[in-house]
mmCIF file of all heavy atoms in Angstrom:
data_model
loop_
_atom_site.group_PDB
_atom_site.id
_atom_site.type_symbol
_atom_site.label_atom_id
_atom_site.label_comp_id
_atom_site.label_asym_id
_atom_site.label_seq_id
_atom_site.Cartn_x
_atom_site.Cartn_y
_atom_site.Cartn_z
ATOM 1 N N MET A 1250 129.951 144.071 73.427
ATOM 2 C CA MET A 1250 130.713 144.048 74.653
ATOM 3 C C MET A 1250 129.798 144.337 75.833
ATOM 4 O O MET A 1250 128.830 145.051 75.671
ATOM 5 C CB MET A 1250 131.826 145.120 74.649
ATOM 6 C CG MET A 1250 132.710 144.985 75.863
ATOM 7 S SD MET A 1250 133.894 146.314 76.049
ATOM 8 C CE MET A 1250 134.179 146.947 74.472
ATOM 9 N N SER A 1251 130.003 143.709 76.922
ATOM 10 C CA SER A 1251 129.122 143.936 78.082
ATOM 11 C C SER A 1251 129.931 143.885 79.369
ATOM 12 O O SER A 1251 131.012 143.294 79.404
ATOM 13 C CB SER A 1251 127.974 142.938 78.110
ATOM 14 O OG SER A 1251 128.483 141.647 78.316
ATOM 15 N N VAL A 1252 129.365 144.501 80.435
ATOM 16 C CA VAL A 1252 130.033 144.485 81.701
ATOM 17 C C VAL A 1252 128.972 144.104 82.751
ATOM 18 O O VAL A 1252 127.747 144.240 82.442
ATOM 19 C CB VAL A 1252 130.664 145.807 82.093
ATOM 20 C CG1 VAL A 1252 131.738 146.211 81.111
ATOM 21 C CG2 VAL A 1252 129.589 146.902 82.181
ATOM 22 N N ASN A 1253 129.389 143.678 83.906
ATOM 23 C CA ASN A 1253 128.422 143.398 84.949
ATOM 24 C C ASN A 1253 128.255 144.603 85.852
ATOM 25 O O ASN A 1253 129.187 145.285 86.244
ATOM 26 C CB ASN A 1253 128.961 142.221 85.794
ATOM 27 C CG ASN A 1253 128.859 140.932 85.038
ATOM 28 O OD1 ASN A 1253 129.819 140.455 84.469
ATOM 29 N ND2 ASN A 1253 127.682 140.296 85.077
ATOM 30 N N CYS A 1254 126.980 144.847 86.131
ATOM 31 C CA CYS A 1254 126.683 145.955 87.062
ATOM 32 C C CYS A 1254 127.283 145.714 88.419
ATOM 33 O O CYS A 1254 127.177 144.613 88.957
ATOM 34 C CB CYS A 1254 125.118 146.086 87.151
ATOM 35 S SG CYS A 1254 124.624 147.366 88.294
ATOM 36 N N THR A 1255 127.927 146.715 88.933
ATOM 37 C CA THR A 1255 128.573 146.516 90.265
ATOM 38 C C THR A 1255 127.560 146.466 91.363
ATOM 39 O O THR A 1255 127.844 146.020 92.485
ATOM 40 C CB THR A 1255 129.578 147.679 90.536
ATOM 41 O OG1 THR A 1255 128.869 148.912 90.445
ATOM 42 C CG2 THR A 1255 130.701 147.670 89.573
ATOM 43 N N ASP A 1256 126.350 146.951 91.100
ATOM 44 C CA ASP A 1256 125.362 146.992 92.125
ATOM 45 C C ASP A 1256 124.490 145.766 92.198
ATOM 46 O O ASP A 1256 124.286 145.151 93.223
ATOM 47 C CB ASP A 1256 124.475 148.258 91.956
ATOM 48 C CG ASP A 1256 123.627 148.529 93.169
ATOM 49 O OD1 ASP A 1256 124.180 148.492 94.292
ATOM 50 O OD2 ASP A 1256 122.446 148.834 93.038
ATOM 51 N N CYS A 1257 123.954 145.390 91.029
ATOM 52 C CA CYS A 1257 122.971 144.264 91.029
ATOM 53 C C CYS A 1257 123.557 143.086 90.284
ATOM 54 O O CYS A 1257 122.920 141.957 90.328
ATOM 55 C CB CYS A 1257 121.648 144.680 90.415
ATOM 56 S SG CYS A 1257 121.773 144.938 88.610
ATOM 57 N N GLY A 1258 124.715 143.209 89.640
ATOM 58 C CA GLY A 1258 125.299 142.067 88.941
ATOM 59 C C GLY A 1258 124.647 141.795 87.607
ATOM 60 O O GLY A 1258 125.069 140.879 86.916
ATOM 61 N N GLY A 1259 123.695 142.603 87.166
ATOM 62 C CA GLY A 1259 123.067 142.459 85.870
ATOM 63 C C GLY A 1259 124.066 142.782 84.746
ATOM 64 O O GLY A 1259 125.103 143.378 84.948
ATOM 65 N N ILE A 1260 123.722 142.329 83.561
ATOM 66 C CA ILE A 1260 124.572 142.583 82.408
ATOM 67 C C ILE A 1260 124.149 143.827 81.659
ATOM 68 O O ILE A 1260 122.998 144.031 81.344
ATOM 69 C CB ILE A 1260 124.507 141.344 81.460
ATOM 70 C CG1 ILE A 1260 125.143 140.157 82.167
ATOM 71 C CG2 ILE A 1260 125.257 141.682 80.127
ATOM 72 C CD1 ILE A 1260 125.089 138.900 81.352
ATOM 73 N N ILE A 1261 125.153 144.694 81.473
ATOM 74 C CA ILE A 1261 124.900 145.951 80.778
ATOM 75 C C ILE A 1261 125.669 145.881 79.488
ATOM 76 O O ILE A 1261 126.878 145.694 79.462
ATOM 77 C CB ILE A 1261 125.422 147.144 81.579
ATOM 78 C CG1 ILE A 1261 124.876 147.107 83.031
ATOM 79 C CG2 ILE A 1261 125.082 148.476 80.877
ATOM 80 C CD1 ILE A 1261 125.603 148.062 83.933
ATOM 81 N N GLU A 1262 124.923 146.023 78.400
ATOM 82 C CA GLU A 1262 125.512 145.982 77.074
ATOM 83 C C GLU A 1262 126.103 147.382 76.750
ATOM 84 O O GLU A 1262 125.445 148.376 76.952
ATOM 85 C CB GLU A 1262 124.508 145.614 76.013
ATOM 86 C CG GLU A 1262 124.002 144.219 76.116
ATOM 87 C CD GLU A 1262 125.025 143.192 75.629
ATOM 88 O OE1 GLU A 1262 125.988 143.620 74.892
ATOM 89 O OE2 GLU A 1262 124.893 142.012 75.947
ATOM 90 N N ILE A 1263 127.340 147.417 76.225
ATOM 91 C CA ILE A 1263 127.869 148.662 75.713
ATOM 92 C C ILE A 1263 127.682 148.641 74.217
ATOM 93 O O ILE A 1263 128.270 147.800 73.543
ATOM 94 C CB ILE A 1263 129.358 148.796 76.079
ATOM 95 C CG1 ILE A 1263 129.584 148.653 77.599
ATOM 96 C CG2 ILE A 1263 129.923 150.144 75.583
ATOM 97 C CD1 ILE A 1263 131.044 148.681 77.988
ATOM 98 N N PRO A 1264 126.901 149.602 73.662
ATOM 99 C CA PRO A 1264 126.719 149.611 72.256
ATOM 100 C C PRO A 1264 128.028 149.816 71.518
ATOM 101 O O PRO A 1264 128.941 150.487 72.015
ATOM 102 C CB PRO A 1264 125.790 150.817 72.005
ATOM 103 C CG PRO A 1264 125.213 151.126 73.332
ATOM 104 C CD PRO A 1264 126.190 150.681 74.368
ATOM 105 N N GLU A 1265 128.174 149.209 70.332
ATOM 106 C CA GLU A 1265 129.389 149.341 69.567
ATOM 107 C C GLU A 1265 129.748 150.784 69.224
ATOM 108 O O GLU A 1265 130.856 151.176 69.045
ATOM 109 C CB GLU A 1265 129.295 148.527 68.261
ATOM 110 C CG GLU A 1265 129.508 147.038 68.530
ATOM 111 C CD GLU A 1265 129.497 146.273 67.218
ATOM 112 O OE1 GLU A 1265 129.764 146.870 66.164
ATOM 113 O OE2 GLU A 1265 129.174 145.063 67.259
ATOM 114 N N ASN A 1266 128.666 151.568 69.075
ATOM 115 C CA ASN A 1266 128.871 152.987 68.712
ATOM 116 C C ASN A 1266 128.862 153.907 69.905
ATOM 117 O O ASN A 1266 128.711 155.117 69.781
ATOM 118 C CB ASN A 1266 127.778 153.422 67.691
ATOM 119 C CG ASN A 1266 126.384 153.338 68.298
ATOM 120 O OD1 ASN A 1266 126.221 152.811 69.407
ATOM 121 N ND2 ASN A 1266 125.410 153.824 67.582
ATOM 122 N N ALA A 1267 129.023 153.358 71.118
ATOM 123 C CA ALA A 1267 129.018 154.179 72.314
ATOM 124 C C ALA A 1267 130.239 155.124 72.227
ATOM 125 O O ALA A 1267 131.284 154.803 71.689
ATOM 126 C CB ALA A 1267 129.161 153.276 73.566
ATOM 127 N N GLU A 1268 130.058 156.290 72.828
ATOM 128 C CA GLU A 1268 131.112 157.299 72.854
ATOM 129 C C GLU A 1268 131.519 157.537 74.278
ATOM 130 O O GLU A 1268 130.720 157.466 75.203
ATOM 131 C CB GLU A 1268 130.617 158.593 72.172
ATOM 132 C CG GLU A 1268 130.352 158.386 70.690
ATOM 133 C CD GLU A 1268 129.935 159.710 70.037
ATOM 134 O OE1 GLU A 1268 129.963 160.723 70.723
ATOM 135 O OE2 GLU A 1268 129.497 159.620 68.865
ATOM 136 N N VAL A 1269 132.805 157.907 74.418
ATOM 137 C CA VAL A 1269 133.314 158.269 75.750
ATOM 138 C C VAL A 1269 132.471 159.388 76.327
ATOM 139 O O VAL A 1269 132.111 160.324 75.638
ATOM 140 C CB VAL A 1269 134.784 158.679 75.649
ATOM 141 C CG1 VAL A 1269 135.307 159.210 77.000
ATOM 142 C CG2 VAL A 1269 135.641 157.461 75.215
ATOM 143 N N ASP A 1270 132.187 159.282 77.594
ATOM 144 C CA ASP A 1270 131.326 160.242 78.380
ATOM 145 C C ASP A 1270 129.848 160.037 78.165
ATOM 146 O O ASP A 1270 129.051 160.709 78.757
ATOM 147 C CB ASP A 1270 131.693 161.697 78.099
ATOM 148 C CG ASP A 1270 133.031 162.069 78.624
ATOM 149 O OD1 ASP A 1270 133.544 161.343 79.565
ATOM 150 O OD2 ASP A 1270 133.656 163.008 78.124
ATOM 151 N N GLU A 1271 129.467 159.080 77.325
ATOM 152 C CA GLU A 1271 128.059 158.742 77.158
ATOM 153 C C GLU A 1271 127.516 158.078 78.449
ATOM 154 O O GLU A 1271 128.260 157.300 79.070
ATOM 155 C CB GLU A 1271 127.879 157.838 75.934
ATOM 156 C CG GLU A 1271 126.422 157.605 75.565
ATOM 157 C CD GLU A 1271 126.353 156.837 74.248
ATOM 158 O OE1 GLU A 1271 127.230 156.942 73.414
ATOM 159 O OE2 GLU A 1271 125.320 156.071 74.124
ATOM 160 N N ILE A 1272 126.291 158.363 78.812
ATOM 161 C CA ILE A 1272 125.719 157.792 80.009
ATOM 162 C C ILE A 1272 124.880 156.562 79.621
ATOM 163 O O ILE A 1272 124.055 156.622 78.689
ATOM 164 C CB ILE A 1272 124.796 158.776 80.710
ATOM 165 C CG1 ILE A 1272 125.547 160.078 81.040
ATOM 166 C CG2 ILE A 1272 124.207 158.163 81.985
ATOM 167 C CD1 ILE A 1272 126.732 159.864 81.978
ATOM 168 N N ILE A 1273 125.110 155.464 80.299
ATOM 169 C CA ILE A 1273 124.342 154.212 80.062
ATOM 170 C C ILE A 1273 123.789 153.750 81.376
ATOM 171 O O ILE A 1273 124.522 153.719 82.374
ATOM 172 C CB ILE A 1273 125.229 153.140 79.408
ATOM 173 C CG1 ILE A 1273 125.765 153.603 78.061
ATOM 174 C CG2 ILE A 1273 124.500 151.808 79.283
ATOM 175 C CD1 ILE A 1273 126.628 152.580 77.366
ATOM 176 N N GLU A 1274 122.513 153.421 81.371
ATOM 177 C CA GLU A 1274 121.883 152.950 82.610
ATOM 178 C C GLU A 1274 121.866 151.416 82.650
ATOM 179 O O GLU A 1274 121.610 150.796 81.647
ATOM 180 C CB GLU A 1274 120.399 153.445 82.662
ATOM 181 C CG GLU A 1274 120.257 154.791 83.208
ATOM 182 C CD GLU A 1274 118.801 155.168 83.386
ATOM 183 O OE1 GLU A 1274 117.944 154.227 83.377
ATOM 184 O OE2 GLU A 1274 118.507 156.356 83.582
ATOM 185 N N CYS A 1275 122.046 150.915 83.835
ATOM 186 C CA CYS A 1275 121.841 149.462 84.050
ATOM 187 C C CYS A 1275 120.331 149.189 83.797
ATOM 188 O O CYS A 1275 119.469 149.825 84.354
ATOM 189 C CB CYS A 1275 122.180 149.060 85.486
ATOM 190 S SG CYS A 1275 121.755 147.370 85.858
ATOM 191 N N PRO A 1276 120.005 148.221 82.931
ATOM 192 C CA PRO A 1276 118.630 147.919 82.599
ATOM 193 C C PRO A 1276 117.883 147.279 83.789
ATOM 194 O O PRO A 1276 116.653 147.289 83.838
ATOM 195 C CB PRO A 1276 118.700 146.978 81.387
ATOM 196 C CG PRO A 1276 120.020 146.371 81.488
ATOM 197 C CD PRO A 1276 120.947 147.402 82.136
ATOM 198 N N ASP A 1277 118.618 146.768 84.685
ATOM 199 C CA ASP A 1277 117.977 146.078 85.826
ATOM 200 C C ASP A 1277 117.711 146.992 87.011
ATOM 201 O O ASP A 1277 116.682 146.973 87.568
ATOM 202 C CB ASP A 1277 118.850 144.900 86.292
ATOM 203 C CG ASP A 1277 118.829 143.772 85.279
ATOM 204 O OD1 ASP A 1277 117.857 143.638 84.547
ATOM 205 O OD2 ASP A 1277 119.827 143.044 85.190
ATOM 206 N N CYS A 1278 118.724 147.802 87.420
ATOM 207 C CA CYS A 1278 118.509 148.602 88.603
ATOM 208 C C CYS A 1278 118.602 150.103 88.356
ATOM 209 O O CYS A 1278 118.313 150.922 89.244
ATOM 210 C CB CYS A 1278 119.601 148.254 89.657
ATOM 211 S SG CYS A 1278 121.288 148.766 89.215
ATOM 212 N N GLY A 1279 118.879 150.518 87.104
ATOM 213 C CA GLY A 1279 118.882 151.902 86.747
ATOM 214 C C GLY A 1279 120.101 152.686 87.186
ATOM 215 O O GLY A 1279 120.192 153.910 87.006
ATOM 216 N N LEU A 1280 121.088 151.992 87.745
ATOM 217 C CA LEU A 1280 122.333 152.698 88.098
ATOM 218 C C LEU A 1280 122.989 153.258 86.878
ATOM 219 O O LEU A 1280 122.995 152.624 85.816
ATOM 220 C CB LEU A 1280 123.293 151.690 88.799
ATOM 221 C CG LEU A 1280 124.521 152.242 89.394
ATOM 222 C CD1 LEU A 1280 124.169 153.185 90.598
ATOM 223 C CD2 LEU A 1280 125.431 151.158 89.916
ATOM 224 N N GLU A 1281 123.483 154.484 86.986
ATOM 225 C CA GLU A 1281 124.050 155.092 85.801
ATOM 226 C C GLU A 1281 125.527 154.985 85.738
ATOM 227 O O GLU A 1281 126.243 155.070 86.704
ATOM 228 C CB GLU A 1281 123.692 156.629 85.830
ATOM 229 C CG GLU A 1281 122.206 156.869 85.575
ATOM 230 C CD GLU A 1281 121.920 158.385 85.482
ATOM 231 O OE1 GLU A 1281 122.522 159.145 86.256
ATOM 232 O OE2 GLU A 1281 121.081 158.703 84.618
ATOM 233 N N TYR A 1282 125.984 154.691 84.510
ATOM 234 C CA TYR A 1282 127.392 154.523 84.247
ATOM 235 C C TYR A 1282 127.814 155.479 83.140
ATOM 236 O O TYR A 1282 127.002 155.866 82.338
ATOM 237 C CB TYR A 1282 127.725 153.117 83.747
ATOM 238 C CG TYR A 1282 127.597 152.085 84.834
ATOM 239 C CD1 TYR A 1282 126.371 151.532 85.166
ATOM 240 C CD2 TYR A 1282 128.735 151.617 85.528
ATOM 241 C CE1 TYR A 1282 126.261 150.596 86.172
ATOM 242 C CE2 TYR A 1282 128.633 150.715 86.506
ATOM 243 C CZ TYR A 1282 127.384 150.179 86.833
ATOM 244 O OH TYR A 1282 127.281 149.196 87.789
ATOM 245 N N VAL A 1283 129.059 155.846 83.184
ATOM 246 C CA VAL A 1283 129.618 156.686 82.088
ATOM 247 C C VAL A 1283 130.624 155.831 81.282
ATOM 248 O O VAL A 1283 131.351 155.036 81.868
ATOM 249 C CB VAL A 1283 130.227 157.971 82.619
ATOM 250 C CG1 VAL A 1283 131.388 157.676 83.586
ATOM 251 C CG2 VAL A 1283 130.692 158.848 81.485
ATOM 252 N N VAL A 1284 130.628 155.984 79.988
ATOM 253 C CA VAL A 1284 131.549 155.213 79.141
ATOM 254 C C VAL A 1284 132.922 155.856 79.243
ATOM 255 O O VAL A 1284 133.109 157.074 79.154
ATOM 256 C CB VAL A 1284 131.084 155.265 77.661
ATOM 257 C CG1 VAL A 1284 132.090 154.523 76.795
ATOM 258 C CG2 VAL A 1284 129.695 154.610 77.550
ATOM 259 N N VAL A 1285 133.904 155.017 79.516
ATOM 260 C CA VAL A 1285 135.284 155.467 79.643
ATOM 261 C C VAL A 1285 136.136 154.636 78.698
ATOM 262 O O VAL A 1285 135.794 153.497 78.377
ATOM 263 C CB VAL A 1285 135.816 155.333 81.050
ATOM 264 C CG1 VAL A 1285 135.107 156.305 82.008
ATOM 265 C CG2 VAL A 1285 135.738 153.890 81.572
ATOM 266 N N GLU A 1286 137.243 155.229 78.253
ATOM 267 C CA GLU A 1286 138.120 154.507 77.352
ATOM 268 C C GLU A 1286 139.257 153.888 78.150
ATOM 269 O O GLU A 1286 139.931 154.565 78.938
ATOM 270 C CB GLU A 1286 138.694 155.477 76.297
ATOM 271 C CG GLU A 1286 139.490 154.723 75.221
ATOM 272 C CD GLU A 1286 139.832 155.617 74.061
ATOM 273 O OE1 GLU A 1286 139.395 156.826 74.048
ATOM 274 O OE2 GLU A 1286 140.553 155.191 73.176
ATOM 275 N N MET A 1287 139.495 152.615 77.939
ATOM 276 C CA MET A 1287 140.537 151.906 78.603
ATOM 277 C C MET A 1287 141.745 151.865 77.694
ATOM 278 O O MET A 1287 141.752 152.378 76.633
ATOM 279 C CB MET A 1287 140.085 150.470 78.895
ATOM 280 C CG MET A 1287 138.723 150.370 79.614
ATOM 281 S SD MET A 1287 138.830 150.918 81.299
ATOM 282 C CE MET A 1287 139.584 149.455 82.016
ATOM 283 N N GLU A 1288 142.765 151.170 78.176
ATOM 284 C CA GLU A 1288 143.947 150.992 77.301
ATOM 285 C C GLU A 1288 143.531 150.232 76.060
ATOM 286 O O GLU A 1288 142.588 149.507 75.988
ATOM 287 C CB GLU A 1288 144.964 150.165 78.060
ATOM 288 C CG GLU A 1288 145.553 150.888 79.262
ATOM 289 C CD GLU A 1288 146.341 149.950 80.156
ATOM 290 O OE1 GLU A 1288 146.842 148.947 79.685
ATOM 291 O OE2 GLU A 1288 146.371 150.256 81.356
ATOM 292 N N HIS A 1289 144.317 150.481 74.994
ATOM 293 C CA HIS A 1289 144.076 149.802 73.712
ATOM 294 C C HIS A 1289 142.795 150.219 73.117
ATOM 295 O O HIS A 1289 142.247 149.514 72.227
ATOM 296 C CB HIS A 1289 144.153 148.285 73.828
ATOM 297 C CG HIS A 1289 145.355 147.786 74.594
ATOM 298 N ND1 HIS A 1289 146.633 148.053 74.159
ATOM 299 C CD2 HIS A 1289 145.467 147.102 75.719
ATOM 300 C CE1 HIS A 1289 147.483 147.536 75.060
ATOM 301 N NE2 HIS A 1289 146.794 146.948 76.021
ATOM 302 N N GLY A 1290 142.201 151.363 73.502
ATOM 303 C CA GLY A 1290 140.966 151.836 72.876
ATOM 304 C C GLY A 1290 139.734 151.083 73.246
ATOM 305 O O GLY A 1290 138.658 151.323 72.660
ATOM 306 N N LEU A 1291 139.809 150.162 74.186
ATOM 307 C CA LEU A 1291 138.621 149.444 74.613
ATOM 308 C C LEU A 1291 137.742 150.389 75.471
ATOM 309 O O LEU A 1291 138.207 151.174 76.179
ATOM 310 C CB LEU A 1291 139.043 148.204 75.443
ATOM 311 C CG LEU A 1291 139.758 147.119 74.685
ATOM 312 C CD1 LEU A 1291 140.188 146.060 75.653
ATOM 313 C CD2 LEU A 1291 138.888 146.546 73.607
ATOM 314 N N LEU A 1292 136.439 150.165 75.350
ATOM 315 C CA LEU A 1292 135.531 150.926 76.125
ATOM 316 C C LEU A 1292 135.110 150.115 77.359
ATOM 317 O O LEU A 1292 134.977 148.890 77.299
ATOM 318 C CB LEU A 1292 134.275 151.276 75.290
ATOM 319 C CG LEU A 1292 134.500 152.201 74.131
ATOM 320 C CD1 LEU A 1292 133.214 152.427 73.370
ATOM 321 C CD2 LEU A 1292 135.138 153.509 74.545
ATOM 322 N N SER A 1293 134.876 150.827 78.451
ATOM 323 C CA SER A 1293 134.360 150.214 79.628
ATOM 324 C C SER A 1293 133.379 151.188 80.245
ATOM 325 O O SER A 1293 133.205 152.278 79.828
ATOM 326 C CB SER A 1293 135.528 149.821 80.566
ATOM 327 O OG SER A 1293 134.999 149.100 81.671
ATOM 328 N N LEU A 1294 132.816 150.785 81.404
ATOM 329 C CA LEU A 1294 131.884 151.616 82.108
ATOM 330 C C LEU A 1294 132.378 151.911 83.489
ATOM 331 O O LEU A 1294 132.983 151.048 84.183
ATOM 332 C CB LEU A 1294 130.522 150.907 82.221
ATOM 333 C CG LEU A 1294 129.785 150.685 80.917
ATOM 334 C CD1 LEU A 1294 128.440 150.044 81.214
ATOM 335 C CD2 LEU A 1294 129.548 152.000 80.171
ATOM 336 N N LYS A 1295 132.127 153.145 83.939
ATOM 337 C CA LYS A 1295 132.495 153.543 85.265
ATOM 338 C C LYS A 1295 131.238 154.048 85.996
ATOM 339 O O LYS A 1295 130.462 154.830 85.377
ATOM 340 C CB LYS A 1295 133.559 154.628 85.165
ATOM 341 C CG LYS A 1295 134.011 155.160 86.507
ATOM 342 C CD LYS A 1295 135.104 156.165 86.252
ATOM 343 C CE LYS A 1295 135.428 156.958 87.487
ATOM 344 N NZ LYS A 1295 136.500 157.891 87.272
ATOM 345 N N GLU A 1296 131.051 153.660 87.182
ATOM 346 C CA GLU A 1296 129.880 154.014 87.897
ATOM 347 C C GLU A 1296 129.791 155.541 88.074
ATOM 348 O O GLU A 1296 130.691 156.178 88.604
ATOM 349 C CB GLU A 1296 129.942 153.334 89.330
ATOM 350 C CG GLU A 1296 128.549 153.254 89.953
ATOM 351 C CD GLU A 1296 128.668 152.445 91.269
ATOM 352 O OE1 GLU A 1296 129.502 151.521 91.319
ATOM 353 O OE2 GLU A 1296 127.985 152.775 92.205
ATOM 354 N N LEU A 1297 128.671 156.090 87.622
ATOM 355 C CA LEU A 1297 128.564 157.560 87.629
ATOM 356 C C LEU A 1297 128.380 158.104 89.034
ATOM 357 O O LEU A 1297 128.760 159.223 89.334
ATOM 358 C CB LEU A 1297 127.356 157.965 86.726
ATOM 359 C CG LEU A 1297 127.273 159.453 86.389
ATOM 360 C CD1 LEU A 1297 128.451 159.858 85.554
ATOM 361 C CD2 LEU A 1297 126.001 159.704 85.646
ATOM 362 N N ALA A 1298 127.832 157.302 89.922
ATOM 363 C CA ALA A 1298 127.539 157.739 91.253
ATOM 364 C C ALA A 1298 128.793 158.081 92.014
ATOM 365 O O ALA A 1298 128.787 158.889 92.966
ATOM 366 C CB ALA A 1298 126.752 156.675 92.030
ATOM 367 N N LEU A 1299 129.928 157.470 91.614
ATOM 368 C CA LEU A 1299 131.165 157.776 92.287
ATOM 369 C C LEU A 1299 131.464 159.264 92.077
ATOM 370 O O LEU A 1299 131.398 159.751 90.955
ATOM 371 C CB LEU A 1299 132.304 156.910 91.727
ATOM 372 C CG LEU A 1299 132.181 155.421 92.028
ATOM 373 C CD1 LEU A 1299 133.272 154.677 91.369
ATOM 374 C CD2 LEU A 1299 132.151 155.165 93.523
ATOM 375 N N LYS A 1300 131.908 159.968 93.089
ATOM 376 C CA LYS A 1300 132.134 161.398 92.933
ATOM 377 C C LYS A 1300 133.536 161.612 92.312
ATOM 378 O O LYS A 1300 134.467 161.876 93.030
ATOM 379 C CB LYS A 1300 132.059 162.077 94.301
ATOM 380 C CG LYS A 1300 130.764 161.684 94.985
ATOM 381 C CD LYS A 1300 129.997 162.880 95.353
ATOM 382 C CE LYS A 1300 128.574 162.509 95.599
ATOM 383 N NZ LYS A 1300 127.987 163.145 96.731
ATOM 384 N N GLY A 1301 133.552 161.445 91.012
ATOM 385 C CA GLY A 1301 134.714 161.520 90.195
ATOM 386 C C GLY A 1301 136.024 162.243 90.730
ATOM 387 O O GLY A 1301 136.266 163.351 90.318
ATOM 388 N N GLU A 1302 136.754 161.537 91.521
ATOM 389 C CA GLU A 1302 138.025 162.097 91.868
ATOM 390 C C GLU A 1302 138.991 161.939 90.714
ATOM 391 O O GLU A 1302 140.042 162.520 90.704
ATOM 392 C CB GLU A 1302 138.630 161.281 93.040
ATOM 393 C CG GLU A 1302 137.893 161.447 94.336
ATOM 394 C CD GLU A 1302 136.857 160.292 94.503
ATOM 395 O OE1 GLU A 1302 136.315 159.897 93.487
ATOM 396 O OE2 GLU A 1302 136.614 159.951 95.584
ATOM 397 N N ASP A 1303 138.555 161.175 89.774
ATOM 398 C CA ASP A 1303 139.459 160.617 88.766
ATOM 399 C C ASP A 1303 139.393 161.310 87.403
ATOM 400 O O ASP A 1303 139.815 160.726 86.411
ATOM 401 C CB ASP A 1303 139.032 159.156 88.587
ATOM 402 C CG ASP A 1303 140.198 158.249 88.429
ATOM 403 O OD1 ASP A 1303 141.165 158.647 87.689
ATOM 404 O OD2 ASP A 1303 140.150 157.169 88.939
ATOM 405 N N TRP A 1304 138.878 162.488 87.384
ATOM 406 C CA TRP A 1304 138.548 163.067 86.075
ATOM 407 C C TRP A 1304 139.675 163.850 85.471
ATOM 408 O O TRP A 1304 139.579 164.386 84.432
ATOM 409 C CB TRP A 1304 137.350 163.960 86.211
ATOM 410 C CG TRP A 1304 136.106 163.143 86.396
ATOM 411 C CD1 TRP A 1304 135.420 163.006 87.557
ATOM 412 C CD2 TRP A 1304 135.440 162.305 85.439
ATOM 413 N NE1 TRP A 1304 134.361 162.127 87.350
ATOM 414 C CE2 TRP A 1304 134.369 161.724 86.112
ATOM 415 C CE3 TRP A 1304 135.717 162.025 84.091
ATOM 416 C CZ2 TRP A 1304 133.496 160.863 85.418
ATOM 417 C CZ3 TRP A 1304 134.842 161.170 83.412
ATOM 418 C CH2 TRP A 1304 133.770 160.584 84.107
ATOM 419 N N GLY A 1305 140.820 163.964 86.244
ATOM 420 C CA GLY A 1305 141.899 164.713 85.661
ATOM 421 C C GLY A 1305 141.690 166.207 85.874
ATOM 422 O O GLY A 1305 142.095 166.760 86.874
ATOM 423 N N GLU A 1306 141.006 166.839 84.977
ATOM 424 C CA GLU A 1306 140.734 168.261 85.093
ATOM 425 C C GLU A 1306 139.447 168.523 85.812
ATOM 426 O O GLU A 1306 138.418 168.482 85.191
ATOM 427 C CB GLU A 1306 140.687 168.873 83.673
ATOM 428 C CG GLU A 1306 141.935 168.570 82.915
ATOM 429 C CD GLU A 1306 142.829 169.777 82.884
ATOM 430 O OE1 GLU A 1306 142.392 170.914 83.101
ATOM 431 O OE2 GLU A 1306 144.056 169.551 82.626
HETATM 432 ZN ZN1 ZN B 801 122.335 147.137 88.086
#
């Protein structure tokens, strides 16, 4: 699975064994993302630079 970097548009691969809260860097620009779980157990990436208003606790 892969997503596009929101900053440079590069492709970031999400490893199959990635875990929620794992940090993954964009290989092109180095922007850091955190692995988040979406609906249906799918994994996605959220830009780490955002000052997490969204963390719940
Ligand atoms: Zn990037």
Side-chain angles (χ1 to χ4, degrees):
M1250 188 188 334
S1251 64
V1252 299
N1253 287 97
C1254 178
T1255 56
D1256 194 45
C1257 72
I1260 294 179
I1261 308 166
E1262 293 285 342
I1263 305 177
E1265 282 183 24
N1266 63 352
E1268 295 181 8
V1269 173
D1270 291 337
E1271 189 173 331
I1272 305 299
I1273 297 180
E1274 278 187 13
C1275 173
D1277 289 332
C1278 70
L1280 188 65
E1281 290 184 320
Y1282 288 84
V1283 60
V1284 177
V1285 294
E1286 187 170 355
M1287 309 287 284
E1288 294 167 27
H1289 311 300
L1291 293 174
L1292 295 179
S1293 187
L1294 294 180
K1295 179 175 167 179
E1296 201 175 325
L1297 192 63
L1299 296 176
K1300 308 236 161 138
E1302 294 92 328
D1303 218 320
W1304 289 107
E1306 304 257 339

